[in-house]
Amino acid sequence: MDKQKSLMNYERNSPWTIGEIGFDSQHLGKSESIFSQGNGYLGLRATLEENYVNQKRDMFVAGTFNKFDNDEVTELPNVPDVVGIDIKINDIELNLNQGKISNYSLDLNLKTGELVRKFDWQYRNVYLRFVFRRFVSFANRHLLAQNISIENLSDIAADIYLESGINGQVTNSGSQHFSEGIKVQHPNNILQMISETTQSKIRFIQSTRLIFTEPTQIKRSLVAMGRRKIFQKISLYPLLKNQKLSFSKYSTVFTSIDKDAETTSQDQLIDQARFFLEKLVGDSFDKLFNESISAWNHNVWEKHEIQIDSIDSTDQLSLNFARYHLHSMVPSHDARMNIGAKGFSGEGYKGHTFWDTEIFMLPYFILAYPEIAKKLVTYRFLGLSGAEKKAKLNHYEGAQYPWESAWPDDGEATPVWGGIDIVTGKPTKIWSGFIEQHITSDVAYGVKQYIDATGDIDFAYSKGCEIIFETAKFWSSRLSYNPSEQLYEIKNVIGPDEYKEHVNNNAFTNYSAQWNIYLAIELYDDLKNNHSSVFEDLNNKLGIADYISDWREKVKKIYLPKPNDKGVIPQDDDYLNKKVIDLSKYKSEDQVGALFDDYNLKQVNNMQITKQADIILLFFLFDSLFTKKIQKINLDYYLPKTMHDSSLSLSTHAIIAADIGQTATAYDFFQKEKNIDMGSFMDSSNDGVHAASLGGIWNSVVQGFGGVRIIDGILRIEPNLPEAWKSLTFNIFWKNNRLDIQEFPDRTLITRQSSTDSTKIFVSSKLKEYELISGKKITIPKENIMEASK
Ligand code: IFM
């Protein structure tokens, strides 16, 4: 494949700005995704005001899933567009594919959430300067605002004509999720459109309004309605040389599933939305924008501060980029919703939630924003009924979490058919929804990490324990007995490595299932012995006493693949017997999945080719079960066979390499990981940014190089800073206490912020335990990692 010209620009001398220096209408997908904006309630792909053939206009509202028809799975519907504005100058439509563009820039400020596009455009005899500003409000989740200024740089007057409104002609790649809708024009030019999703019957109330800095510039304004469309047509008085036109567009979206809308009638909702916009008319774009900036600062940046002192400034930039997107996409307002694998930045994975949340994003929220983490784990509690439905359908017990989930109790939402099989020419079956089952223990793992870090006993007793017991029931019913080996096995699964389908005893799956059952047993004993009323309640609801002897009997006999004589842990029963091929040709490609130009999945299944961290991920979750020596042997064995064809792979590799003291290798993984979305390959993020890899960036920094981990309920801090870093400074929350941590190559300083909380808190490092006393700083000297953890 030809190398593409990168348009990315990180040279703004700011760790808070990413930008693009050129316009290329052939490569809009990447910038639409990586410059997308959101506030957890709604998210907006960064499509431009004017139209281009290759653009993909998308706006989503969290949780509003709809099923287009019976043959499709439910997905987040693409909401009627409010961002597009047609602009004509002297009857010529603004379009950057024609004429001459100069001084082009598109910048996203990651701290304030503002997207700014500037350029001068010369076409025939008009020459104009454009500035487009846009933000999705972090202060008011229903609001998004645009501000546009046009300055006439030509010698002749410019007649400007605008069309702006709400356009419901957008689809999800052809699937139209909305009814035609009701359109309303109010006297003060507030336009409204009320549309309803076809199957889930969720009503969307969208309103929009244009506000001109100099209303006297308007010559004529009319409102028109078309099919699925209401819009304002505005002609302006000629813009003379050096004159400027400036206007803002405020748009809002409310839905009938908004928490505060549950008891509100449709008419009331429509009125509320209109009043809301009416009230904003006196507020300038800058005032609303400043409120949003304050909310970002207060809710996000000031709560968790993290600073890398590196020779490479893009290390910090990538961290800011990751955090900006994670907060744009996390529905922190409502536990009925979770994070989609692409957030709101594109249609990829249909807004569905995967294990990506628990293993790749939840650690960030647990340690930095525990109140948001609580929402994410509560979502899994609300998903229990869907998980129980799935287990029952498959003749298992307890809760089998869906591989992909949407509305919490929907159950499985994974599509059945995917891309083309290069050999048969038919669609490939997606088996994950049927047999990629480790998500069930991943969910339990996330719950346990949350409880360990926060000590949130209320959550544990009212929700968390139920998840742990129900998932243990699933695993125990999922095991099959092998009488000749006298062991329990887990057959016919897909592990994290999705290039191996229908395998037996995937190591990650077996270890995590066993861990899940052990956890349930431990919890059972603790509740029974120490918290009898909680135990009674749970037993009455779940009948756990009927299961405990089964768990105790089976758990010890679960087959766990052990290192062979060379120290290699078999990924599954057959992996090590499969053919090894040279993968260098495919590894050198920018594009993921290059392998499938030559092979189909069946063929890849029969070779030692790993899509993403699998055995390596086992070390991340269950570090204490494996020596560093074994971890190193397995990294060396599996790495040449790993394609990193999933964006989830590199961060795990960075963490494990850092853990075993290979910081240069870890840093190299980290550099590659930074480029998954931010890098120069212009097609990398067309379907949306990679949420798990964004979580992975923070994980690599804090859990990998920073060495912060929750292991067996204990906070462990064993840093391994790369050579490029002078220091890493950040804070985390542990059992409701803020810990300020400064890591240097030779020492780590930890301060427990002063508080009246008298809970005893400890941190472990290199097998030593340190007590953290309120208001006091401790120093932990660096020791040789291999020495300490042999
Ligand atoms: O969950 C992942 C999976 O592990 C690899 N393919 C993409 C999914 C969503 O990110």
Side-chain angles (χ1 to χ4, degrees):
M1 175 180 297
D2 291 343
K3 287 269 176 220
Q4 291 158 0
K5 187 168 160 266
S6 168
L7 302 171
M8 294 299 109
N9 176 32
Y10 305 127
E11 304 302 322
R12 294 266 192 267
N13 278 333
S14 158
W16 287 106
T17 313
I18 54 162
E20 220 179 49
I21 33 174
F23 174 79
D24 178 355
S25 65
Q26 295 307 305
H27 290 109
L28 294 172
K30 184 179 183 107
S31 55
E32 287 172 4
S33 295
I34 70 168
F35 301 132
S36 63
Q37 296 164 294
N39 57 19
Y41 172 84
L42 69 88
L44 186 64
R45 201 165 151 88
T47 44
L48 308 178
E49 279 70 8
E50 67 276 14
N51 288 313
Y52 295 95
V53 175
N54 291 318
Q55 82 185 346
K56 183 76 203 77
R57 289 203 186 280
D58 275 324
M59 174 163 137
F60 302 105
V61 176
T64 58
F65 291 98
N66 185 63
K67 206 168 149 94
F68 170 67
D69 80 9
N70 283 339
D71 294 335
E72 292 194 9
V73 292
T74 192
E75 67 181 322
L76 277 188
N78 185 8
V79 176
D81 177 61
V82 286
V83 164
I85 300 176
D86 291 340
I87 303 175
K88 278 191 186 152
I89 306 109
N90 296 347
D91 284 333
I92 298 157
E93 198 164 315
L94 171 68
N95 184 312
L96 299 187
N97 281 327
Q98 53 190 14
K100 187 173 161 231
I101 325 168
S102 43
N103 303 320
Y104 184 91
S105 66
L106 176 63
D107 287 306
L108 175 67
N109 185 317
L110 303 164
K111 191 163 193 188
T112 65
E114 187 189 25
L115 185 66
V116 181
R117 182 165 62 119
K118 295 181 182 165
F119 57 86
D120 298 339
W121 187 62
Q122 200 167 2
Y123 187 65
R124 296 190 187 146
N125 50 1
V126 287
Y127 183 26
L128 300 166
R129 173 160 296 162
F130 289 85
V131 179
F132 295 85
R133 299 170 64 197
R134 185 191 297 181
F135 71 94
V136 169
S137 176
F138 224 70
N140 190 313
R141 67 175 80 105
H142 300 282
L143 174 71
L144 60 116
Q146 293 157 271
N147 178 271
I148 295 154
S149 78
I150 308 172
E151 188 179 348
N152 188 359
L153 304 179
S154 22
D155 290 329
I156 59 157
D159 282 327
I160 298 184
Y161 169 83
L162 308 169
E163 269 188 27
S164 158
I166 306 172
N167 177 6
Q169 292 176 1
V170 292
T171 64
N172 288 60
S173 305
S175 293
Q176 174 52 265
H177 284 280
F178 291 96
S179 58
E180 164 73 40
I182 304 165
K183 298 152 223 164
V184 193
Q185 176 205 358
H186 296 284
N188 45 11
N189 281 332
I190 290 181
L191 309 183
Q192 286 192 309
M193 186 146 106
I194 297 94
S195 28
E196 191 174 71
T197 52
T198 51
Q199 166 268 331
S200 54
K201 302 290 175 206
I202 298 171
R203 279 184 304 280
F204 282 67
I205 295 96
Q206 288 180 266
S207 316
T208 193
R209 178 177 195 167
L210 287 182
I211 298 162
F212 286 80
T213 310
E214 294 293 343
T216 52
Q217 286 177 305
I218 301 174
K219 186 165 144 197
R220 191 154 180 258
S221 167
L222 281 176
V223 170
M225 291 179 194
R227 206 166 169 196
R228 298 175 184 278
K229 205 173 164 185
I230 176 163
F231 54 106
Q232 212 174 334
K233 298 156 80 157
I234 300 177
S235 310
L236 295 135
Y237 286 111
L239 198 64
L240 305 177
K241 185 175 178 181
N242 296 332
Q243 234 182 357
K244 217 182 204 177
L245 169 72
S246 156
F247 61 96
S248 298
K249 181 174 184 181
Y250 299 161
S251 306
T252 61
V253 54
F254 293 81
T255 81
S256 56
I257 63 161
D258 293 347
K259 269 257 148 97
D260 42 11
E262 277 166 347
T263 53
T264 319
S265 71
Q266 171 162 317
D267 286 348
Q268 283 169 322
L269 271 180
I270 296 170
D271 284 347
Q272 272 174 18
R274 177 161 62 90
F275 297 149
F276 177 82
L277 212 46
E278 268 170 3
K279 267 208 337 237
L280 291 189
V281 74
D283 292 345
S284 67
F285 178 89
D286 283 324
K287 175 171 182 283
L288 297 171
F289 179 44
N290 285 330
E291 285 168 8
S292 180
I293 296 175
S294 302
W296 267 104
N297 286 335
H298 182 255
N299 299 337
V300 179
W301 309 123
E302 287 162 9
K303 280 196 179 157
H304 171 61
E305 295 163 304
I306 176 161
Q307 204 60 47
I308 306 172
D309 186 354
S310 170
I311 54 170
D312 183 345
S313 61
T314 65
D315 291 351
Q316 179 73 42
L317 177 68
S318 68
L319 194 58
N320 296 343
F321 173 80
R323 296 183 62 204
Y324 161 82
H325 277 292
L326 287 169
H327 289 277
S328 302
M329 62 177 68
V330 62
S332 54
H333 61 290
D334 196 327
R336 298 170 302 170
M337 295 144 198
N338 204 286
I339 313 175
K342 304 277 184 195
F344 302 120
S345 63
E347 287 175 22
Y349 294 121
K350 303 180 180 333
H352 294 173
T353 294
F354 293 66
W355 70 312
D356 304 30
T357 293
E358 276 69 24
I359 306 301
F360 298 89
M361 294 175 265
L362 191 60
Y364 169 66
F365 293 108
I366 287 177
L367 288 171
Y369 303 88
E371 67 292 349
I372 299 182
K374 184 172 189 157
K375 294 270 175 38
L376 297 173
V377 286
T378 301
Y379 169 85
R380 292 303 192 180
F381 174 75
L382 301 174
L384 267 172
S385 61
E388 286 161 352
K389 190 162 77 186
K390 177 168 175 182
K392 202 173 256 162
L393 208 67
N394 294 327
H395 310 291
Y396 299 123
E397 293 195 65
Q400 179 182 15
Y401 275 93
W403 178 245
E404 296 184 25
S405 32
W407 193 250
D409 57 10
D410 275 355
E412 188 55 72
T414 310
V416 177
W417 299 104
I420 188 166
D421 176 324
I422 190 85
V423 174
T424 64
K426 293 187 177 151
T428 310
K429 182 157 181 170
I430 304 175
W431 280 100
S432 299
F434 302 96
I435 56 172
E436 190 155 359
Q437 295 168 350
H438 60 84
I439 181 148
T440 294
S441 32
D442 303 330
V443 167
Y445 188 86
V447 165
K448 171 72 166 51
Q449 293 260 308
Y450 169 75
I451 297 171
D452 285 344
T454 58
D456 185 348
I457 290 301
D458 282 351
F459 171 82
Y461 291 166
S462 63
K463 303 184 177 70
C465 295
E466 193 167 333
I467 295 178
I468 291 163
F469 288 133
E470 289 300 284
T471 48
K473 279 186 198 170
F474 163 72
W475 282 120
S476 132
S477 69
R478 176 64 178 83
L479 300 170
S480 49
Y481 193 59
N482 178 336
S484 58
E485 300 290 339
Q486 300 193 356
L487 286 169
Y488 285 96
E489 299 182 309
I490 305 178
K491 294 186 158 179
N492 191 26
V493 294
I494 300 177
D497 169 15
E498 294 170 336
Y499 287 170
K500 295 289 158 284
E501 294 181 336
H502 306 289
V503 297
N504 296 335
N505 296 313
N506 166 257
F508 182 87
T509 308
N510 285 24
Y511 275 89
S512 69
Q514 190 199 48
W515 169 87
N516 197 160
I517 301 177
Y518 265 130
L519 178 64
I521 296 172
E522 200 183 303
L523 193 61
Y524 180 97
D525 291 338
D526 179 48
L527 293 179
K528 189 152 194 254
N529 297 331
N530 306 317
H531 308 279
S532 53
S533 72
V534 180
F535 176 81
E536 284 311 323
D537 288 350
L538 282 165
N539 193 32
N540 287 339
K541 187 170 181 192
L542 311 172
I544 39 181
D546 299 339
Y547 288 85
I548 188 72
S549 53
D550 189 50
W551 294 345
R552 290 196 209 280
E553 199 276 316
K554 285 177 174 169
V555 75
K556 291 185 292 246
K557 294 188 193 157
I558 295 178
Y559 167 62
L560 300 177
K562 290 276 158 40
N564 64 14
D565 53 354
K566 297 197 178 73
V568 177
I569 303 171
Q571 193 179 288
D572 58 57
D573 281 357
D574 295 326
Y575 190 96
L576 297 183
N577 302 324
K578 291 179 176 172
K579 191 164 74 178
V580 177
I581 65 161
D582 177 10
L583 293 171
S584 41
K585 166 178 164 199
Y586 307 106
K587 285 194 172 204
S588 61
E589 292 274 346
D590 278 333
Q591 177 204 0
V592 295
L595 209 59
F596 294 101
D597 289 347
D598 292 341
Y599 300 103
N600 71 3
L601 194 53
K602 200 166 162 203
Q603 293 165 319
V604 173
N605 217 2
N606 289 323
M607 296 185 269
Q608 291 194 40
I609 302 175
T610 294
K611 179 180 179 183
Q612 64 198 90
D614 189 306
I615 286 292
I616 307 307
L617 193 70
L618 183 63
F619 304 148
F620 175 53
L621 264 64
F622 306 112
D623 174 89
S624 55
L625 299 182
F626 305 95
T627 63
K628 296 296 168 216
K629 188 171 166 211
I630 287 294
Q631 297 193 22
K632 183 180 176 318
I633 291 172
N634 282 276
L635 186 62
D636 289 347
Y637 185 82
Y638 283 102
L639 187 57
K641 299 164 182 73
T642 303
M643 291 303 300
H644 304 300
D645 272 355
S646 154
S647 64
L648 281 57
S649 192
L650 288 163
S651 62
T652 313
H653 281 79
I655 293 168
I656 299 307
D659 274 5
I660 60 175
Q662 295 187 355
T663 44
T665 311
Y667 192 59
D668 192 41
F669 285 129
F670 179 61
Q671 297 308 314
K672 292 192 178 118
E673 187 191 344
K674 278 163 40 177
N675 286 333
I676 289 177
D677 286 307
M678 276 183 25
S680 55
F681 180 47
M682 290 305 290
D683 286 340
S684 68
S685 312
N686 288 349
D687 294 337
V689 294
H690 301 77
S693 120
L694 299 169
I697 289 178
W698 185 89
N699 289 343
S700 306
V701 172
V702 173
Q703 300 199 284
F705 301 119
V708 177
R709 303 279 265 286
I710 307 168
I711 301 205
D712 303 325
I714 292 166
L715 176 64
R716 190 190 80 181
I717 304 188
E718 291 176 358
N720 285 290
L721 299 191
E723 233 179 73
W725 295 5
K726 279 201 200 118
S727 67
L728 172 64
T729 310
F730 57 100
N731 69 285
I732 57 166
F733 293 90
W734 182 253
K735 316 261 188 221
N736 272 320
N737 282 271
R738 181 181 159 130
L739 308 183
D740 291 318
I741 302 168
Q742 278 178 286
E743 298 181 346
F744 300 96
D746 62 339
R747 68 197 188 285
T748 296
L749 312 176
I750 309 175
T751 310
R752 173 177 174 179
Q753 234 183 34
S754 298
S755 83
T756 51
D757 180 5
S758 58
T759 319
K760 279 189 174 288
I761 298 183
F762 299 92
V763 59
S764 127
S765 190
K766 310 286 166 60
L767 307 179
K768 277 195 202 142
E769 195 177 69
Y770 300 80
E771 184 171 358
L772 299 172
I773 300 187
S774 176
K776 291 250 161 67
K777 184 183 279 183
I778 62 158
T779 303
I780 304 178
K782 168 109 179 150
E783 291 166 12
N784 183 318
I785 184 170
M786 297 306 276
E787 218 20 53
S789 47
K790 260 197 289 223

